[in-house]
Amino acid sequence: MSTLQSIDQVQEEILSRLSALPPTDVPLEVALHRTIATDVHARDPIPPFDNTAMDGFGLRSADTASATTDAPTELKVTGAVEAGAETLPTVLAGCAVRIYTGAPIPPGCDCIVPWEKTARFDETTVVLDAPVAARACVRPHSSDLEKGAVALSAGTRLTPAALGLLATVGYPVVSVGPRLRVAVHSSGNELVPIDSALSPGKIRNSNLTSICARLEQWGATPLARPVLRDTPEAVRAGLRATLTLRPDAIVTTGGVSAGDLDFIREVARELGDDVQIRKVNMKPGKPLVDGLIAGIPFFGLPGNPAACLVSFEIFVRPALAKLEGRRDAFAPRRVARLAHAFDTPKIDRRQFLRGTAHFDFERQHYRVHLPSAQGSHQMSSFAEANCLVEIDVQSGRLAEDAAVTIHLLGDIQ
Ligand code: AMP
Ligand code: MG
């Protein structure tokens, strides 16, 4: 009988404990990649006034109705309108004004003819050999956004263009989901700082570096915390010290397997509420501890360096997204084809392999390469990966060109 829990169910249980944290107001200068918390309405119509899309002449369309090459229409140039102009000359019948892109359409004028579409012009006259349609080259007010219309909806991630739009509609400050402060502890007696030479039995604490970097990439603020040594007292004291910082979430790595020295599980249970010690139907990332400690979401990820990053993607990422009110809870998925045959173990767990995918324009699909080093302790293959390749249980040998689902490990989606 299997005691493994399905990934979907675990995700659901984790999310059901959490709700979005209150948003914060930030100036646009620091709002890139943040997620807006409420709909933003245009304060003004955009464009705010009818204006010209081209440099040229503003005139009355009716004056040009009979213009042909053989019988061109000549108009008198009576003024000029530059972008930013506050007082506008009226365009009378038989007249035209020079006009520059972005300038308001002056009274009397109902169309613009670009310089290059005139037959000729000089300081005082412009000659047209074809009619100009009413509204030609006029950008009407409100044609981008009506006043009061939703410019951006809650949950939108702020790209440079979205920030430009907020600036356009007059929001120098915007309400966004909070930048999460996430405490990160590694655990294990074998860990030494990354600037240490290795002594027998020791390894460098790489998970702290990779998980903190992943948090930064996500847009959170990692709080790198001291290593939790393998005693219940040390784990307890370390977590208690972290609780005093009131982080928005706590992530630990290691110490969650069934071993004698894996104390994260029992200490999390002792300090927390609804702390679940799980075996999840996935590889890597079978062991997982999650719950709330003093109301703070807690994630005890496995210690193996590849496993903790995969568990982060599958379980921590959606949780952080919910806390922040973000839509990108899950990595974007694509269907890809294997670039080569690959042997996977026939096991009862869903596997997430590290892969490198690229879109093959000739074949019109993603092709994915799988490095052979897929052990959960092997980081060399992860370092170059750009996706996780999902393999169904009991797959065994996968043929070249077999279709697989990939989860893109990109930065900004
Ligand atoms: P554990 O889950 O604590 O039994 O750890 C599983 C494996 O991951 C062991 O081989 C650990 O040495 C290794 N490991 C645990 N924590 C780290 C870490 N912070 N950096 C690198 N390797 C780790
Ligand atoms: Mg350990």
Side-chain angles (χ1 to χ4, degrees):
M1 198 194 78
S2 169
T3 54
L4 299 180
Q5 290 180 273
S6 84
I7 294 173
D8 293 354
Q9 193 194 330
V10 174
Q11 284 172 332
E12 217 178 286
E13 285 181 26
I14 289 174
L15 293 179
S16 69
R17 287 191 202 107
L18 309 176
S19 40
L21 297 173
T24 64
D25 286 348
V26 296
L28 296 193
E29 297 77 61
V30 296
L32 182 64
H33 299 156
R34 307 291 295 275
T35 300
I36 58 170
T38 51
D39 290 354
V40 172
H41 298 264
R43 292 213 155 110
D44 307 288
I46 307 295
F49 48 88
D50 289 1
N51 68 94
T52 170
M54 301 293 283
D55 286 352
F57 291 92
L59 44 91
R60 293 164 174 254
S61 162
D63 287 349
T64 67
S66 63
T68 62
T69 328
D70 294 336
T73 297
E74 186 172 315
L75 301 172
K76 190 173 164 208
V77 176
T78 55
V81 193
E82 297 177 6
E86 287 171 10
T87 52
L88 304 174
T90 299
V91 179
L92 302 172
C95 298
V97 291
R98 297 178 77 128
I99 195 163
Y100 300 87
T101 304
I105 303 296
C109 166
D110 69 357
C111 63
I112 307 297
V113 59
W115 314 114
E116 57 276 21
K117 288 206 174 155
T118 65
R120 63 193 141 78
F121 62 87
D122 60 23
E123 294 297 303
T124 56
T125 54
V126 55
V127 178
L128 302 165
D129 55 12
V132 183
R135 312 306 290 165
C137 296
V138 173
R139 300 190 288 211
H141 73 88
S142 309
S143 56
D144 195 0
L145 285 168
E146 304 265 359
K147 180 174 177 164
V150 174
L152 288 173
S153 56
T156 302
R157 193 115 193 262
L158 291 171
T159 59
L163 289 172
L165 182 61
L166 289 177
T168 300
V169 298
Y171 281 82
V173 172
V174 64
S175 175
V176 295
R179 185 183 290 283
L180 301 178
R181 296 164 58 249
V182 181
V184 184
H185 281 280
S186 315
S187 72
N189 288 342
E190 71 278 36
L191 302 179
V192 295
I194 57 173
D195 56 0
S196 303
L198 295 181
S199 50
K202 305 292 193 232
I203 60 170
R204 298 190 184 97
N205 177 8
S206 66
N207 292 351
L208 186 68
T209 299
S210 57
I211 294 291
C212 286
R214 179 65 187 96
L215 284 162
E216 242 166 39
Q217 182 191 35
W218 172 257
T221 302
L223 309 176
R225 303 292 297 149
V227 171
L228 303 173
R229 298 302 178 190
D230 290 326
T231 66
E233 297 73 30
V235 173
R236 196 177 294 125
L239 290 180
R240 283 219 169 107
T242 289
L243 291 175
T244 66
L245 303 176
R246 299 301 303 165
D248 297 307
I250 301 172
V251 173
T252 64
T253 72
V256 291
S257 304
D260 291 347
L261 296 179
D262 290 330
F263 295 115
I264 302 276
R265 303 180 311 164
E266 62 181 66
V267 175
R269 271 243 160 116
E270 168 198 316
L271 299 179
D273 301 303
D274 189 21
V275 170
Q276 301 296 319
I277 296 169
R278 306 186 193 268
K279 288 189 177 125
V280 190
N281 181 356
M282 62 189 267
K283 177 187 164 69
K286 182 165 86 166
L288 179 74
V289 177
D290 56 86
L292 298 173
I293 301 185
I296 299 171
F298 173 82
F299 301 90
L301 307 183
N304 273 306
C308 70
L309 281 175
V310 172
S311 292
F312 184 101
E313 291 311 310
I314 306 292
F315 300 114
V316 183
R317 172 182 175 143
L320 300 184
K322 183 156 185 193
L323 294 174
E324 283 175 66
R326 272 166 75 157
R327 291 179 186 151
D328 54 347
F330 301 101
R333 287 185 292 177
R334 302 279 183 273
V335 173
R337 291 181 179 279
L338 292 185
H340 50 85
F342 195 80
D343 285 314
T344 63
K346 270 196 153 198
I347 56 168
D348 281 333
R349 285 185 279 157
R350 192 180 300 177
Q351 297 177 60
F352 291 96
L353 306 177
R354 285 85 83 181
T356 310
H358 73 281
F359 192 78
D360 184 326
F361 280 92
E362 242 161 63
R363 294 189 247 205
Q364 286 291 299
H365 62 241
Y366 280 90
R367 291 191 76 72
V368 60
H369 288 261
L370 291 168
S372 54
Q374 295 283 349
S376 53
H377 63 294
Q378 290 172 307
M379 284 299 276
S380 51
S381 57
F382 214 145
E384 292 197 353
N386 65 3
C387 65
L388 294 176
V389 182
E390 188 178 328
I391 305 290
D392 286 337
V393 294
Q394 294 286 351
S395 282
R397 185 171 180 80
L398 300 168
E400 181 177 345
D401 281 325
V404 287
T405 301
I406 62 172
H407 301 237
L408 299 179
L409 294 174
D411 192 353
I412 304 305
Q413 284 98 36

